[in-house]
Amino acid sequence: MHVGGRAREGLRSRLNGPVLSVWAKHDRDFGGWLPLWRHMEDSAAVAGLVWDEWLPLSVRRLVADALPEGEADARRLAVWLAGVHDIGKATPAFACQVDELADRMRDAGLEMRSRKAMGPDRAMAPHGLAGQVLLGEWLEERHGWTVRQAGQFAVAVGGHHGVPPEHAQIRDLDGHGQLLRSSGPSRDLWRRVQGELLDACTEEYGVRERLAAWRAVRLPQPVQVLLTAVVIVADWIASNPDLFPYFPEDRPRSGAERVAAAWRGLDLPAPWTATEPTQDTERLFASRFDLPPGASVRPVQEAAVDVARSMETPGLLIVEAPMGEGKTEAALAVAEIFAARSGAGGVFFALPTMATGNAMFPRLLDWLERLPGADDGGRRAVHLAHSKAALNEGFADLMRRGGRVAAVDMDAPSSAPHRRADGGGPAPGELVAHTWLRGRKKAVLASFVAGTIDQLLFAGLKSRHLALRHLAVAGKVVVIDEAHAYDAYMNVYLDRVLSWLGAYGVPVVVLSATLPAARRRALTEAYAGTPGRGAGGDERFAEVGEESAYPLLTAVSPGGTPVLRRPASSGRGTDVALEPLDDDLDVLTDRLGRELAGGGCALVVRNTVRRVLETARALRVRFGEDAVTVAHSSFLDLDRAANDADLLRRFGPPEKFEGRPAGPHVVVASQVAEQSLDVDFDLLVSDLCPVDLLLQRAGRLHRHPRGAGQRDRPPGLRTARCLVTGVDWATAVPTPVRGSVAVYGAYALLRSAAALRPHLNGDARRPVRLPSDISPLVQAAYGEKPDIPEGWADALEEAFTRFERHRADQAERAATFGLGPVGRPGRPLFGWLAAGVGEVDDTPAGRAQVRDSRESLEVVVVRRREDGGLTTVPWLPPDGHGRERAGLALPVDQVPTAFAARAVAASGLRLPMRFSAPEVMDRAIAELEERCVDAWQTKESHWLAGQLVLELDEDCQTRLAGFTLSYSRSQGLEVTRA
């Protein structure tokens, strides 16, 4: 075997006697088992292959930099730790679990009490903790290490099941030595067997001669985390019986043959190896992106590439630029440069919502297919990371082609080329959703990931297997989009994640159109490792928190000094005239009637779904059913996706849309219109909202030129105008409607109204000039010293008190389960995840940990016919292959077909927040569970098990928890009290 740097004879050749009877794994169904020495050897060999062929260069460098002999030492250490990770199974507490295997060990002289006789004490010695203690003792007693010196290495063994042990657990086990070695005559034999295994691994993997040098090493905590993660990955692979069969094997083979066959069966794609592009920015963008004819690189894009190339060490780059300036393309170009210079093996693109994640995924794939080497026959692992990713047609196709982890094939040639998914010849460069890289814990390990921000924030949450999430981001360039969209609660997690990313040296690109200066400084300080230094913070960052230039680039390397770049504007601009509008439906209807008399398309954005529906009903009376479109979050998943596609077809950019409505048309939407949709309207009406969000909404107004001087728009709509409503403007201090206050808080709304006063009040009001007014307005609304209009002081002070109380509460609650700061080098990770949340994943409960929202109630929707039969709802569109999903019959006595079950799962619906009140939620869940279809709750029902099913009658209505629910394809869900 070749696992420690040179050819070895194998671990088995170094062992003899009772040690060979120690077992590691057992198959209760078929009686197979695996000796501990074999699993140790398998795990070490896999770790060597993971190191050589799968880990990104940036991860290997980080570990290597901490050790005296660099890369050679790093590889030895990873292999050795993977080899010894299960030494805790050579203990009575573990070995007693399977009677027949325990009897084999007793026959070899390793006495132990039965599992029953050990009683509850056995739980004090889980084999990870036991292994950490045994390895620590061995390093201390045999090699003269101190407790702390040993702990920083042994913690990778203790934490390989997801949570490093806490100090109290270690102390408790110290008083129960009989769990590690029996208290009878065979105690010394147990000690000898444990020592033999550790000695054999140390000799086999070339570590013996390195221990003296390593004793002086102070391992940084990020390195401890990465080594733990490598051990976990190696253990999971080596524990897969399809790849590593249990004894007795059908065909005996050497360890080298066994590992080679398993690695072929696993067939993991290698990490990306980026080459730094040498062409100028114009040619770089032309080769990577599908630019419109005649388009040229924007100044902010040019500057972003220049800054990335000029940074001595890739680090954090914040790009602040207007909507539509190509920030996404700039981020990907910078990611390519950063990856080449840092050794990152992929990209993680974090977005605020599932919708934005879905929209980004095909753009990421397009970019990947244009990268150098895309046609070299290599493969790249990709993933869409959110809870409903499997319902995304593009990603589902990739998963279907991803195959499975194959059982070992001893006869396959060791250098067999990868074949096409359809079996037809060698594959060119492929994008694959690899089978092994699926599941909630492994998915983000894929090289290229587009996902929701939650997936990144989970890296700041004390949860089981957090080391894997850190490994996933430590080897990538991370892009964070819409950085302004996260509240104080989420920012606690984001700042902590950034501090760890800085410690790993992970390059990060942050994108925003409307970022407050204080938030810019906080992000920069968190990444550079200086948050909160001194009463006034680190003075090197003072300019970052004061700069008001726009566009603006802010760059800093870990531990470095920030650099600001102020690129020129692209020259694209729009003047938007603001006007206050009374919050009255009759006033709105009459005004839109006059504005759209000559045709045109208006967007009305409301802050609550209830206001969306009320407005749409009134406007349909005036304009007709077909002239009003509704878009909000309370649509079925498939309907919402279809709504977005329809809006893009009718109101998208000129080169993509299929035709705007001939007559007047009004789209009434909630906040779903703020992000991800490249839509363009002639007139905007918006409820008052925080100023950054209002600017985002204004970005949908005259977004694209329609003829010279906008001549293709109706004459009265060639000037961009936004009517601001949702407020009683007649009061001394503007009074926002209750629904808006519930969503955003009074303080943010009043600060927004104050910042907008010069543009809203008086005959001399001036238009908002985009983009030049974006930064001044945002800084005015979020700065620490507000400009308080006369007579507003008392109202603002009262609102500020509530705001501060709420923000402090958010920060305190978020910190409860938030990951601590990076500790001093050499400090073991004991207790790293103490008082954590346990398991966490992309479920409503998991997302609620990193978002300040009550857990929302999600259901899947079906229809019950008058004859009692269940069907999918009758308006579902065909799937991506043209297969009909509407009105499919759903059996209640068995699991539906996979196709029908997936159609039901795609009919997911998030109920409004009124169903999140504890008493309402409890009642709703109880009622839904009473109607549960038992046959759908089995493990064979992959799509439907665990889902709450909401049944609509033939009129698409039902009752739930004291409310009447009505659903229509045009309106979405409406809820009224029964």
Side-chain angles (χ1 to χ4, degrees):
M1 299 180 68
H2 188 273
V3 293
R6 59 181 182 273
R8 306 280 181 191
E9 296 178 3
L11 201 59
R12 171 66 178 81
S13 65
R14 301 179 183 276
L15 302 170
N16 196 28
V19 68
L20 300 178
S21 70
V22 181
W23 66 278
K25 296 187 176 295
H26 175 247
D27 184 339
R28 296 185 182 275
D29 294 329
F30 300 102
W33 72 291
L34 206 62
L36 180 55
W37 69 264
R38 169 52 77 197
H39 181 57
M40 295 171 88
E41 186 173 272
D42 290 343
S43 300
V46 168
L49 289 165
V50 164
W51 185 274
D52 295 338
E53 300 187 25
W54 186 68
L55 281 184
L57 177 61
S58 59
V59 171
R60 303 200 310 268
R61 280 178 179 166
L62 187 66
V63 180
D65 287 346
L67 295 163
E69 289 191 358
E71 174 93 8
D73 261 0
R75 187 183 189 281
R76 286 190 198 102
L77 178 56
V79 169
W80 178 64
L81 288 173
V84 302
H85 81 279
D86 263 353
I87 186 63
K89 290 183 174 180
T91 59
F94 178 85
C96 70
Q97 294 180 94
V98 179
D99 290 340
E100 60 267 32
L101 297 177
D103 286 341
R104 287 172 58 99
M105 293 175 63
R106 292 186 182 103
D107 292 343
L110 293 167
E111 291 296 329
M112 71 191 85
R113 290 185 297 165
S114 69
R115 179 174 183 169
K116 182 176 181 180
M118 285 194 189
D121 283 353
R122 199 181 67 82
M124 300 175 67
H127 73 267
L129 170 59
Q132 176 181 293
V133 171
L134 293 178
L135 180 59
E137 286 181 356
W138 180 83
L139 288 169
E140 295 157 27
E141 296 171 4
R142 301 278 290 274
H143 298 280
W145 291 37
T146 66
V147 172
R148 174 165 286 201
Q149 287 170 338
Q152 59 182 332
F153 288 80
V155 72
V157 171
H160 82 267
H161 275 281
V163 179
E166 299 177 28
H167 290 282
Q169 294 174 290
I170 300 169
R171 288 195 301 269
D172 290 345
L173 184 55
D174 283 344
H176 293 77
Q178 75 279 5
L179 298 172
L180 301 179
R181 307 173 184 99
S182 67
S183 56
S186 66
R187 178 179 176 82
D188 289 342
L189 181 58
W190 276 104
R191 180 182 291 273
R192 192 182 83 198
V193 162
Q194 294 159 355
E196 284 179 15
L197 287 166
L198 292 172
D199 287 341
C201 285
T202 304
E203 294 289 348
E204 179 67 18
Y205 306 127
V207 169
R208 172 79 62 185
E209 60 273 20
R210 301 302 306 146
L211 290 177
W214 291 354
R215 187 173 62 182
V217 168
R218 298 174 67 205
L219 278 185
Q221 287 197 332
V223 172
Q224 297 178 46
V225 175
L226 294 178
L227 288 169
T228 301
V230 171
V231 170
I232 292 171
V233 170
D235 181 32
W236 283 5
I237 295 171
S239 297
N240 186 323
D242 285 336
L243 300 175
F244 291 91
Y246 290 176
F247 286 13
E249 296 183 76
D250 294 335
R251 173 179 171 182
R253 57 270 186 85
S254 70
E257 290 177 314
R258 175 181 171 90
V259 171
W263 195 249
R264 287 196 303 274
L266 182 61
D267 197 22
L268 277 179
W272 179 37
T273 303
T275 303
E276 185 166 355
T278 58
Q279 64 264 58
D280 63 33
T281 308
E282 199 79 43
R283 289 189 178 90
L284 174 62
F285 274 64
S287 64
R288 301 294 190 267
F289 307 110
D290 186 15
L291 301 178
S296 60
V297 172
R298 305 255 166 79
V300 72
Q301 296 172 326
E302 181 93 46
V305 170
D306 288 347
V307 170
R309 285 173 165 162
S310 66
M311 292 179 71
E312 185 174 344
T313 302
L316 172 71
L317 177 62
I318 301 176
V319 180
E320 297 173 63
M323 299 71 75
E325 282 291 283
K327 293 189 293 295
T328 296
E329 289 79 8
L332 292 173
V334 169
E336 186 176 353
I337 296 166
F338 277 174
R341 299 183 60 206
S342 69
V347 174
F348 187 107
F349 213 113
L351 301 117
T353 64
M354 293 184 198
T356 52
N358 287 338
M360 183 62 213
F361 190 61
R363 298 176 69 182
L364 182 66
L365 300 186
D366 287 345
W367 173 70
L368 287 173
E369 290 174 347
R370 295 169 182 261
L371 287 176
D375 56 355
D376 64 0
R379 295 177 304 143
R380 291 176 177 145
V382 298
H383 195 81
L384 177 61
H386 61 68
S387 62
K388 297 184 179 180
L391 299 175
N392 180 282
E393 290 290 346
F395 182 58
D397 285 343
L398 284 176
M399 288 199 296
R400 279 190 285 270
R401 299 201 304 267
R404 62 184 180 85
V405 175
V408 295
D409 180 1
M410 289 300 300
D411 298 320
S414 60
S415 59
H418 180 71
R419 313 296 289 184
R420 293 182 185 273
D422 59 9
E430 266 192 298
L431 304 178
V432 296
H434 193 276
T435 302
W436 194 80
L437 295 172
R438 296 185 193 169
R440 289 165 175 161
K441 294 181 179 178
K442 294 183 292 186
V444 288
L445 290 167
S447 296
F448 296 94
V449 179
T452 54
I453 188 67
D454 312 80
Q455 298 293 334
L456 181 63
L457 298 185
F458 285 152
L461 180 68
K462 290 190 288 188
S463 57
R464 196 173 189 87
H465 289 109
L466 183 62
L468 286 180
R469 292 191 179 275
H470 279 224
L471 176 62
V473 294
K476 296 183 176 69
V477 178
V478 172
V479 181
I480 302 170
D481 199 10
E482 306 280 7
H484 57 273
Y486 312 122
D487 61 18
Y489 186 93
M490 298 173 74
N491 284 335
V492 170
Y493 288 102
L494 181 55
D495 289 354
R496 185 48 49 83
V497 170
L498 280 173
S499 71
W500 278 87
L501 294 179
Y504 287 117
V506 171
V508 178
V509 184
V510 174
L511 307 178
S512 179
T514 52
L515 191 64
R519 187 70 197 123
R520 180 197 308 138
R521 177 171 181 172
L523 293 168
T524 310
E525 288 186 324
Y527 182 83
T530 61
R533 180 181 292 178
D538 191 324
E539 282 306 310
R540 294 177 301 161
F541 294 82
E543 186 181 10
V544 175
E546 297 168 356
E547 182 58 55
S548 60
Y550 190 80
L552 181 67
L553 304 181
T554 307
V556 67
S557 297
T561 298
V563 174
L564 299 177
R565 176 77 70 88
R566 303 163 185 84
S569 173
S570 67
R572 298 168 65 250
T574 302
D575 283 0
V576 179
L578 300 188
E579 179 185 336
L581 183 70
D582 290 343
D583 188 57
D584 181 278
L585 285 177
D586 290 337
V587 170
L588 174 65
T589 301
D590 290 344
R591 181 63 179 270
L592 288 177
R594 294 195 302 272
E595 296 287 354
L596 301 180
C601 304
L603 172 65
V604 179
V605 183
R606 297 304 211 188
N607 291 339
T608 66
V609 173
R610 180 180 297 181
R611 282 174 62 81
V612 169
L613 297 176
E614 290 172 349
T615 303
R617 278 194 292 270
L619 292 175
R620 281 180 171 140
V621 172
R622 171 65 177 79
F623 291 98
E625 289 289 327
D626 295 337
V628 178
T629 297
V630 170
H632 56 70
S633 58
S634 291
F635 277 91
L636 303 188
D637 290 335
L638 278 175
D639 288 348
R640 185 170 171 182
N643 290 347
D644 289 351
D646 176 64
L647 291 174
L648 287 171
R649 280 193 298 269
R650 294 191 289 166
F651 308 104
E655 66 271 12
K656 294 182 179 179
F657 84 113
E658 297 178 1
R660 293 163 79 81
H665 198 95
V666 184
V667 173
V668 189
S670 66
Q671 293 88 338
V672 298
E674 287 174 8
Q675 300 166 340
S676 78
L677 288 178
D678 185 4
V679 287
D680 170 34
F681 291 88
D682 304 315
L683 178 70
L684 173 67
V685 179
S686 174
D687 281 350
L688 179 68
C689 59
V691 73
D692 51 331
L693 303 183
L694 186 68
L695 292 169
Q696 292 281 348
R697 296 174 186 182
R700 275 64 189 158
L701 181 62
H702 287 212
R703 187 178 180 92
H704 300 286
R706 295 193 180 272
Q710 304 289 357
R711 67 185 179 194
D712 292 342
R713 301 184 192 273
L717 301 175
R718 290 172 185 169
T719 297
R721 286 178 295 137
C722 173
L723 312 180
V724 183
T725 185
V727 183
D728 183 350
W729 295 109
T731 54
V733 178
T735 307
V737 296
R738 290 178 57 189
S740 297
V741 173
V743 174
Y744 297 115
Y747 184 67
L749 295 173
L750 290 178
R751 288 291 302 270
S752 178
L756 292 169
R757 284 183 85 230
H759 307 282
L760 282 168
N761 291 357
D763 295 335
R765 61 177 180 262
R766 69 175 184 84
V768 173
R769 295 183 173 89
L770 302 180
S772 59
D773 282 341
I774 290 178
S775 184
L777 282 170
V778 171
Q779 308 320 324
Y782 288 96
E784 294 182 0
K785 298 178 180 179
D787 182 11
I788 302 175
E790 185 178 353
W792 290 32
D794 290 344
L796 271 170
E797 183 177 356
E798 181 183 348
F800 179 71
T801 300
R802 292 196 299 270
F803 167 73
E804 279 290 278
R805 189 183 305 124
H806 176 64
R807 186 165 62 175
D809 175 66
Q810 284 185 309
E812 182 179 354
R813 286 185 290 108
T816 302
F817 297 116
L819 188 63
V822 182
R824 296 187 304 274
R827 181 178 180 179
L829 285 173
F830 301 154
W832 188 49
L833 304 180
V837 298
E839 298 284 357
V840 67
D841 49 38
D842 196 5
T843 63
R847 292 190 295 275
Q849 295 288 350
V850 293
R851 291 182 185 258
D852 187 26
S853 60
R854 292 175 293 178
E855 183 178 345
S856 57
L857 192 58
E858 293 190 45
V859 297
V860 293
V861 176
V862 299
R863 196 180 191 195
R864 184 172 288 280
R865 300 190 306 253
E866 288 186 357
D867 63 9
L870 293 181
T871 71
T872 58
V873 293
W875 58 82
L876 291 184
D879 74 354
H881 301 281
R883 295 174 294 185
E884 289 295 335
R885 294 181 287 196
L888 295 176
L890 302 170
V892 295
D893 56 349
Q894 62 186 28
V895 176
T897 66
F899 179 73
R902 189 171 185 270
V904 174
S907 303
L909 176 67
R910 184 171 296 179
L911 298 182
M913 290 308 297
R914 68 182 69 185
F915 285 94
S916 298
E919 64 280 3
V920 179
M921 176 177 280
D922 291 344
R923 180 178 172 185
I925 290 174
E927 291 179 11
L928 290 169
E929 288 180 341
E930 284 180 6
R931 311 170 197 171
C932 169
V933 182
D934 292 336
W936 296 2
Q937 303 303 314
T938 65
K939 62 181 180 180
E940 290 80 18
S941 183
H942 166 70
W943 291 105
L944 300 179
Q947 297 275 16
L948 295 170
V949 180
L950 180 70
E951 298 177 6
L952 301 178
D953 62 22
E954 292 210 336
D955 294 323
C956 290
Q957 295 185 352
T958 191
R959 290 194 175 190
L960 182 66
F963 293 93
T964 296
L965 282 61
S966 301
Y967 190 91
S968 72
R969 178 64 189 85
S970 61
Q971 288 283 94
L973 182 69
E974 297 186 71
V975 179
T976 56
R977 288 205 172 269

